[in-house]
């Protein structure tokens, strides 16, 4: 009977579909469509769809009506149109966007709901612009504060990055636009990014550098992944058997397409046999001589076709690549059921402002100097970053925005009743152009540094508040792709300027705009410090929201702020070089798993300036005693940890409760504690809520490289409830016991 029903169902299905090729039928199973399309393609068509046809697009199969793929950066907004074969602007007038906060700011919200809102919003913008792949998000781990691209990533912790990346992926892909999770893997600094060979042990790879990618692929369902420029095990990541074939496609069963970074492929044989499915940007990486419209010369174009025609290589690998690209096409460009998207909508501006407001971190607030007294008559704003547009620059994430509210404009519009004066104080970067997008600002300055300082100090003397808005910017050597910072210090004489201001005014509030930790030698001299990141289109409004108290800050640091660069394990124990070379540079990650708070927890002498997870509020929170629902668990079992949190202050606010797990005795060196859960709770004054976390026994393990699996050793553990890595509020003990 069941067989009969099945036959009848199949018959009616084929009748319905009669005349429609399976690959065109959106109701047919994805794999059937892929196989059908594959079976209709010629060898030439197959090799054509696995490499670019322009700077950001790759061909479809015109004869079969299979559309092209259009990619675009990513990750903070949709990059404007460039010329067919150039990085320069195409000059379109319909391609300005909303810039969302940098991913460091998103991570600092510690709120997966913000990540979903972000993904949906930027995905809608990408969809409206008819993009099929958005080149982001990035989840490379924060190993050194010198990395010029940290602002595009989600911090130092694999669990935090993993939890935060997943909703972004889902939100973007709901729009029928693929994410491209980058840069897989170990692209942890920028200098020599094409020729750095990372040497890292397997345990560190699996515990620190891979989990966020794995989460994006397995929990988020990412449709594409971008292979990094650098080498690992002496092979470029785009041609890397271990990373792409064994781990990504093997262990993680990734069924999507691996996209090369632009110019990240170097050899036809290697690319053909290992991992990469879509080759982009060859001849553009600066390593070799360039050639225009050289797409037929791509490694996976004619050279690959010739190898196949000569019988030197089979077609098995090619078919696998084509299948993956077809899957991508069916999921994106050939999906007729996707929504239409939207751009520059009030909702997107509101989302950008909300995420920015939640990501801003209040680092210090002595005597509750913040929020500002809104009746203040004399506010002095000092610093170039108060007026500088930050959405232009920084590399491939540079945007052309419809509007960007500067901090000064945001503060002026919020404190309209006050006299808000401005002094530049220092000159940093007067540029304002990236690949032909101009900020339109003239930041040229004729005065000397001494004159600028003098003016700012004179005005500061009788101001009610001095709001200093400085930090880094997106020029080379700051927070910028293809370059790293020279040191941890603030550039352009800002330390001297801040000290001078603090000497004449007791209410200097430092707003640091950066995607990286900076040294703060003046920290004891100023009452308040706000970490404001690159916040995109609504930057100034979001900063004013927090300074005024309209938004109660709730961001927490996604990475450690060290006092000195020497306190950073990658520099103390590990290797890093700032010297540019074209030779292969081996960089050993000797510090292993002990980065960020995993290091500071063990080395109390290297007490951080501000720890991972730190962030204050305008209210206060009291934690109850954490309790576990059972004292022992066995493998495969789970346990619930609960703790009450009460708002003991006068304002509504949100607190991110952090759960770390501590293995009290292990056969291998383990961090003192590791983040395994977090929850952001909103509380009205006096309100109390109970926060619960469920921990499965798998979360207790370490990666045993010898056995190549995660191992949770029986013994004593502690659930550590904390408000930051250094601010432990309570502990509850439990044990993992052997299964009977
Ligand atoms: C960057 C990628 C970017 C690509 C395309 C590369 O140089 O590393 O992150 O997506 O260019 O612009």
């Amino acid at each position: 009977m069941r067989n009969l029903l099945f036959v009848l169902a199949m018959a009616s299905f084929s009748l319905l579909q009669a005349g429609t090729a399976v690959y065109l039928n959106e109701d047919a199973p994805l794999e059937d469509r892929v196989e059908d399309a594959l079976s209709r393609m010629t060898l030439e068509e197959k090799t054509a769809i696995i490499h670019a046809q322009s700077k950001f697009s790759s061909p479809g199969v015109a004869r079969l009506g299979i559309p092209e793929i259009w990619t675009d950066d990513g990750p903070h907004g949709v990059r404007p149109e460039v010329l067919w074969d150039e990085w320069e602007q195409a000059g379109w007038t319909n391609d300005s966007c909303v810039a969302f906060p940098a991913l460091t700011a998103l991570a600092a919200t510690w709120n997966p709901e913000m990540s979903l809102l972000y993904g949906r919003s930027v995905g809608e913008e990408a969809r409206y612009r008819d993009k099929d792949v958005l080149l982001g998000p990035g989840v490379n781990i924060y190993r050194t504060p010198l990395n010029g691209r940290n602002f595009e990533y989600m911090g130092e912790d694999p669990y935090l990055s993993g939890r935060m990346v997943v909703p972004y992926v889902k939100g973007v892909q709901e729009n029928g636009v693929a994410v491209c999770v980058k840069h897989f893997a170990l692209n942890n600094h920028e200098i020599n990014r094409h020729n750095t060979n990372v040497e890292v042990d397997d345990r560190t790879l699996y515990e620190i550098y891979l989990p966020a990618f794995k989460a994006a692929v397995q929990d988020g369902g990412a449709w594409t992944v971008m292979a990094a420029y650098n080498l690992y095990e002496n092979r470029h990541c785009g041609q890397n058997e271990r990373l792409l074939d064994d781990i990504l496609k093997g262990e993680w069963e990734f069924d999507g397409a691996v996209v090369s970074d632009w110019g990240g492929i170097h050899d036809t044989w290697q690319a053909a046999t290992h991992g990469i499915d879509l080759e982009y940007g060859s001849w553009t990486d600066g390593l070799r001589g360039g050639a225009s419209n050289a797409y037929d010369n791509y490694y996976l174009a004619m050279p690959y076709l010739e190898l196949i025609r000569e019988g030197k290589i089979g077609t098995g690998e090619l078919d696998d690549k084509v299948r993956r690209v077809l899957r991508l096409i069916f999921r994106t460009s050939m999906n007729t059921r996707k929504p239409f998207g939207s751009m520059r909508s009030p909702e997107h501006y509101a989302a950008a402002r909300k995420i920015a407001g939640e990501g801003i971190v209040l680092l210090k607030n002595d005597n509750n100097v913040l929020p500002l007294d809104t009746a203040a008559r004399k506010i002095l704003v000092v610093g170039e970053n108060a007026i500088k547009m930050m959405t232009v620059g920084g590399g491939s994430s540079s945007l052309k925005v419809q509007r960007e509210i500067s901090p000064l404009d945001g503060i002026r519009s919020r404190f309209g009743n006050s006299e808000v004066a401005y002094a530049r104080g220092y000159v940093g970067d007067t540029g304002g152009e990236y690949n032909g997008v101009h900020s339109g600002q003239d930041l040229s300055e004729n005065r000397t540094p001494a004159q600028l300082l003098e003016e700012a100090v004179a005005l500061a003397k009788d101001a009610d508040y001095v709001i200093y808005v400085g930090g880094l910017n997106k020029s080379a050597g700051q927070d910028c792709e293809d370059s790293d910072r020279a040191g941890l210090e603030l550039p352009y004489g800002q330390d001297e300027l801040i000290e001078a201001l603090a000497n004449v005014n007791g209410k200097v509030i430092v707003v640091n705009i950066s995607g990286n930790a900076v040294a703060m030698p003046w920290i004891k001299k100023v009452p308040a410090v706000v970490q404001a990141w690159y916040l995109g289109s609504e930057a100034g409004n979001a900063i004013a929201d927090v300074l005024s108290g309209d938004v109660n800050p709730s961001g927490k640091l996604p990475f450690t702020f060290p006092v000195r660069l020497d306190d950073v394990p990658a520099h103390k124990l590990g290797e890093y070089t700032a010297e540019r070379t074209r030779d292969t540079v081996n960089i050993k990650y000797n510090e292993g798993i002990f980065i960020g708070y995993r290091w500071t927890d063990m080395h109390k002498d290297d007490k951080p300036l501000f720890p991972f997870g730190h962030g204050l509020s305008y209210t206060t929170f009291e934690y109850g005693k954490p309790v576990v629902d059972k004292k022992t668990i066995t493998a495969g079992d789970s346990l619930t940890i609960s703790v009450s949190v009460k708002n003991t202050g006068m304002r509504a606010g949100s607190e991110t409760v952090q759960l770390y797990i501590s293995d009290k005795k292990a056969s291998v060196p383990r961090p003192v504690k590791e983040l395994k859960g977090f929850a952001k709770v909103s509380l009205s004054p006096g309100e109390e809520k109970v926060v619960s976390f469920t921990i499965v026994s798998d979360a207790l393990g370490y990666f045993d490289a010898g056995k190549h699996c995660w191992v949770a050793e029986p013994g004593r553990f502690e659930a550590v409830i904390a408000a930051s890595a250094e601010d432990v509020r309570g502990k509850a003990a439990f044990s993992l016991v052997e299964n009977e």
Side-chain angles (χ1 to χ4, degrees):
M1 182 63 183
R2 274 174 70 178
N3 280 351
L4 181 66
L5 283 177
F6 179 69
V7 170
L8 282 173
M10 289 314 289
S12 54
F13 180 73
S14 354
L15 270 178
L16 269 174
Q17 303 310 322
T20 311
V22 176
Y23 77 94
L24 292 172
N25 175 10
E26 287 190 77
D27 290 320
L30 179 66
E31 294 310 307
D32 292 0
R33 298 178 70 196
V34 168
E35 292 309 318
D36 183 48
L38 186 75
S39 71
R40 294 166 192 264
M41 290 167 69
T42 65
L43 185 61
E44 290 71 20
E45 285 166 343
K46 287 180 183 176
T47 46
I49 72 163
I50 60 167
H51 63 84
Q53 62 174 6
S54 78
K55 194 59 85 191
F56 282 102
S57 73
S58 48
V61 190
R63 180 179 64 86
L64 296 175
I66 296 176
E68 301 169 342
I69 292 176
W70 281 82
T71 72
D72 205 3
D73 288 294
H76 306 141
V78 190
R79 185 176 177 160
E81 298 295 333
V82 294
L83 293 170
W84 186 258
D85 193 37
E86 309 292 331
W87 293 106
E88 291 303 310
Q89 295 305 293
W92 292 21
T93 53
N94 62 348
D95 57 350
S96 64
C97 67
V98 173
F100 296 89
L103 292 192
T104 39
L106 174 62
T109 68
W110 289 62
N111 187 349
E113 282 173 26
M114 288 301 104
S115 178
L116 185 62
L117 177 66
Y118 194 126
R120 280 189 177 143
S121 309
V122 73
E124 281 166 3
E125 298 240 334
R127 169 65 191 103
Y128 188 80
R129 283 269 311 285
D130 249 332
K131 301 301 175 192
D132 305 306
V133 182
L134 183 71
L135 303 172
V139 285
N140 293 93
I141 290 291
Y142 192 106
R143 175 177 181 253
T144 161
L146 301 190
N147 180 11
R149 282 190 99 170
N150 277 336
F151 71 100
E152 289 185 65
Y153 305 140
M154 298 200 189
E156 73 181 34
D157 185 72
Y159 179 83
L160 175 65
S161 316
R163 280 275 308 275
M164 291 302 290
V165 74
V166 168
Y168 181 114
V169 171
K170 290 186 172 163
V172 169
Q173 294 193 166
E174 274 175 14
N175 291 285
V177 175
V179 295
C180 190
V181 190
K182 63 195 192 183
H183 304 89
F184 189 67
L186 300 163
N187 185 179
N188 304 109
H189 60 266
E190 288 291 291
I191 289 180
N192 303 321
R193 59 182 176 163
H194 295 279
N195 46 327
T196 289
N197 178 47
V198 174
E199 294 184 22
V200 62
D201 62 80
D202 265 16
R203 180 175 172 202
T204 306
L205 181 69
Y206 275 79
E207 287 191 22
I208 304 292
Y209 295 99
L210 294 185
F213 287 100
K214 185 178 179 192
V217 165
Q218 292 197 329
D219 304 337
W223 291 333
T224 79
V225 167
M226 185 188 291
Y229 280 136
N230 51 283
L231 299 90
Y232 164 65
E233 292 188 336
N234 297 307
R235 285 163 188 243
H236 282 99
C237 292
Q239 312 169 164
N240 198 295
E241 186 174 4
R242 177 90 200 284
L243 288 176
L244 302 183
D245 299 340
D246 298 350
I247 298 175
L248 179 62
K249 295 180 177 179
E251 291 172 20
W252 301 350
E253 299 177 342
F254 173 64
D255 76 352
V258 181
V259 179
S260 74
D261 199 346
W262 269 232
I265 296 301
H266 302 264
D267 178 85
T268 296
W269 183 274
Q270 292 295 333
T273 49
H274 301 309
I276 201 76
D277 303 307
L278 252 177
E279 180 188 3
Y280 274 97
S282 298
W283 308 106
T284 62
D285 64 2
L287 291 180
R288 293 165 293 237
S292 296
N293 283 306
Y295 300 99
D296 281 350
N297 299 341
Y298 271 36
Y299 296 98
L300 291 183
M302 292 309 284
Y304 188 18
L305 194 57
E306 273 156 32
L307 281 184
I308 295 174
R309 282 188 181 138
E310 287 164 12
K312 292 189 175 142
I313 198 166
T315 53
E317 293 93 350
L318 174 64
D319 283 350
D320 181 59
K321 294 179 200 302
V322 174
R323 283 189 180 96
R324 290 169 183 277
V325 174
L326 285 170
R327 257 176 229 133
L328 174 62
I329 290 175
F330 291 139
R331 285 166 169 160
T332 59
S333 61
M334 208 165 170
N335 170 3
T336 65
R337 294 168 180 173
K338 60 191 172 188
F340 292 108
S342 54
M343 266 199 112
R344 303 180 292 264
S345 64
E347 290 79 8
H348 291 175
Y349 282 109
R353 186 167 177 169
K354 182 153 179 47
I355 297 160
E358 271 209 36
I360 291 173
V361 184
L362 179 62
L363 293 176
K364 174 174 179 177
N365 192 21
D366 284 356
N367 308 319
N368 294 325
V369 66
L370 285 174
L372 300 178
D373 177 356
T374 41
R377 298 305 309 169
K378 281 186 167 175
I379 294 177
L380 172 67
V381 175
V382 179
E384 184 176 282
N385 284 353
I387 55 168
K388 188 171 173 58
M389 265 182 82
M390 289 293 189
T391 51
V392 177
S396 56
S397 60
S398 178
L399 296 169
K400 174 170 133 188
V401 289
Q402 184 190 35
R403 70 162 196 254
E404 176 176 342
I405 310 288
S406 71
L408 181 61
D409 286 345
I411 293 167
R412 282 197 166 142
S413 92
R414 177 60 181 83
F415 295 91
N417 60 340
S418 315
E419 184 193 314
V420 180
Y422 174 69
R424 183 156 174 182
Y426 70 91
V427 177
D429 169 44
T430 54
E433 187 269 344
Y434 185 79
N435 279 169
V437 175
H438 296 268
S439 70
Q441 294 187 298
D442 179 7
L443 294 181
S444 57
E445 176 62 66
N446 296 323
R447 289 170 294 173
T448 63
Q451 286 171 324
L452 290 169
L453 184 137
E454 209 176 292
E455 178 201 43
V457 171
L459 289 169
K461 280 183 184 149
D462 63 348
D464 294 338
Y465 294 100
V466 176
I467 303 176
Y468 180 84
V469 188
L472 308 179
N473 57 44
K474 301 271 196 76
S475 62
Q478 305 289 315
D479 285 323
C480 186
E481 182 174 337
D482 203 21
S483 70
D484 291 336
R485 299 165 65 200
L488 194 62
E489 298 70 34
L490 283 177
Y492 319 126
Q494 292 182 77
D495 288 340
E496 196 193 344
L497 174 60
I498 295 169
E499 295 235 6
L501 294 168
N503 285 342
V504 299
N505 191 304
K507 287 189 177 167
V508 175
I509 289 141
V510 175
V511 178
N512 182 57
I513 295 188
S514 71
N516 257 315
V518 301
M520 299 184 184
W522 33 260
I523 187 68
K524 294 207 170 87
K525 299 189 176 150
V526 300
V529 182
V530 173
Q531 176 60 33
W533 320 110
Y534 299 106
L535 296 175
S537 286
E538 289 286 354
N541 285 335
I543 289 170
D545 287 342
V546 166
L547 294 178
S548 63
D550 294 348
V551 166
N552 190 350
S554 65
K556 300 244 184 187
L557 289 178
F559 51 80
T560 308
F561 270 54
V563 176
R564 293 168 296 266
L565 191 61
D566 276 356
D567 297 346
V568 177
H571 295 272
K572 202 164 189 155
L573 299 181
E575 293 180 346
Y576 167 84
T577 179
E579 210 175 298
R580 283 194 191 263
T581 167
R582 294 208 161 197
D583 300 330
T584 304
V585 198
N586 291 315
I587 298 288
K588 287 199 184 107
Y589 288 15
N590 295 324
E591 71 284 3
I593 60 171
F594 296 102
I595 62 164
Y597 68 87
R598 287 168 169 79
W599 172 265
T600 50
D601 267 356
M602 293 184 17
H603 299 86
K604 290 297 175 192
D605 297 348
D606 293 348
K607 201 171 160 39
L609 176 62
F610 295 110
F612 172 79
H614 170 74
L616 305 171
S617 164
Y618 296 148
T619 188
T620 45
F621 301 100
E622 208 174 271
Y623 287 56
K625 200 175 154 26
V627 286
V628 283
D629 65 342
K630 42 188 148 171
K631 288 285 174 199
T632 57
I633 58 168
T634 53
D637 204 359
S638 67
L639 166 114
T640 301
I641 299 132
S642 306
V643 63
S644 64
V645 191
K646 185 174 181 184
N647 182 344
T648 47
M650 307 296 284
R651 285 168 181 265
S654 299
E655 170 70 336
T656 298
V657 181
Q658 300 159 41
L659 166 70
Y660 298 82
I661 296 289
S662 176
D663 186 351
K664 301 313 284 178
K665 192 161 172 265
S667 62
V668 296
R670 293 202 67 180
V672 172
K673 62 181 189 299
E674 293 184 280
L675 186 74
K676 294 293 174 185
F678 60 87
K680 197 165 189 172
V681 270
S682 299
L683 297 165
S684 320
E687 194 185 1
E688 183 168 346
K689 279 184 189 163
V690 173
V691 179
S692 294
F693 302 95
T694 300
I695 277 287
V696 289
S697 65
D698 289 359
L700 308 178
Y702 65 91
F703 189 78
D704 184 327
K707 294 187 185 141
H708 197 75
C709 65
W710 291 84
V711 172
E713 291 177 334
R716 284 192 310 118
F717 288 83
E718 247 169 17
V720 179
I721 295 291
S724 85
E726 296 269 312
D727 185 4
V728 171
R729 298 294 178 97
K731 296 177 181 176
F734 65 94
S735 299
L736 174 69
V737 293
E738 306 262 15
N739 286 334
E740 305 228 319

